[in-house]
Amino acid sequence: MSKQLETTPKQDGFRMPAEHEPQSGIWMAWPERTDNWRFGGKPAQATFVDVAKAISKNTKVTMVVSAGQYENARSMLPEEVQLLEMSTDDSWMRDIGPSYVVNDNGERRGVDWHFNAWGGLEDGLYFPWDKDDAVARKVCEALGDESYRAPVVLEGGSIHVDGEGTLYTTEECLLHPSRNPDLSKQQIEETLKTYLSVEKIIWIPNGLYNDETNGHVDNLIHVVAPGEVVLTWCDDEADPQYEISRKALDVLSTETDAKGRQIKVHKLPMPGPLYISESEASGVDVSDGMERVPGERLAGSYANYLVSNKHVIYPLLDHECDAEVGVLLQQLYPGYAITGVDAREILLGGGNIHCITQQIPAL
């Protein structure tokens, strides 16, 4: 039976694997929230289908969907995508799904974080969020995996690990007063070390400019390999991202990882800057939490890609950089398939390909 355990992953000898380690599946959630996705989520649904198809080439995809959208999703998705009815509040599986940990005996378990819609009543994007908070446990139960309920508010997109003891995050997100205001930086570090079996936390000051998640690390950097990352880079001194990227580079180039390695940083061009158009904003229902107005700057980033079984699925966001980024990724991931998916519709909802996917390690 897939029960929730009273112990911790560290006690039990489980660690969070890196994204480039073998996976048995990718989970996603079907978009339909009308105050986040324009025109009832129809354009976003088409893009989610494109992402699911791309991932399916190498990895099994499971899409969770509400009862009301089940038939629609089934008609749009290829038959190799497994469809599972499950209620959610929105569709950011990275943040609502479980973070998986594994041990040396080939076993896996889920870590179920508390979720409060990126900030709760103080700063959150919607209310209620109880369906989202229940997703991680449901995923573990569906897969027959035991899980741990971690005693902190955390989203999967706010952390990256290298699988060898190093975790990357941003101070902007994890130390934000809307997450765990009663915990000190040191207490948050201890919790991460206990529940993911990491040894060192590398704190980058801020995430991408105007990111409504309070600066998730997965929209700024990605871990290529242990001791090697890509960083979203901006050369325009007048752009607010210019200073943010430089401060991140300062930290990454002066810190060593858990194994004492100097971190190699590759600069990933920033798309745009990109903004919501008049017609894009007109299709979204008004909401309290989310800014979907014409001229709002989008937190666009090529770092928000997924790595799954020797396959990189990255967002196409800007005709001027898309091809260059594809070439760079091919150099960084020799022997991997590199697939670009037109992902502006996901960006309009506030994230990208990494944000809408959650990997399940192979047994």
Side-chain angles (χ1 to χ4, degrees), residues 303-319:
N304 208 307
Y305 60 84
L306 174 73
V307 181
S308 183
N309 293 331
K310 303 245 169 191
H311 187 190
V312 174
I313 303 95
Y314 80 101
L316 302 176
L317 296 167
D318 181 345
H319 296 307

Side-chain angles (χ1 to χ4, degrees), residues 94 113 126 137 142 173 248 288 290 336 354:
R94 176 69 47 186
W113 311 102
Y126 49 73
R137 184 173 185 174
C173 185
D288 290 338
M290 297 177 273
Y336 279 54
H354 196 256

Side-chain angles (χ1 to χ4, degrees), residues 26 50 59 63-65 70 85 106-107 127 132 150 153 168 173 177 189 194 207 229 237 244 250 264 267 276:
I26 295 287
D50 290 343
T59 310
M63 182 80 71
V64 306
V65 61
Y70 190 93
E85 190 182 308
E107 298 171 304
F127 176 86
D132 277 350
V153 172
Y168 300 84
C173 185
E189 281 209 7
T194 301
V229 302
E237 291 184 30
I244 293 171
D250 285 347
K264 191 173 181 184
K267 294 174 181 173
I276 300 182

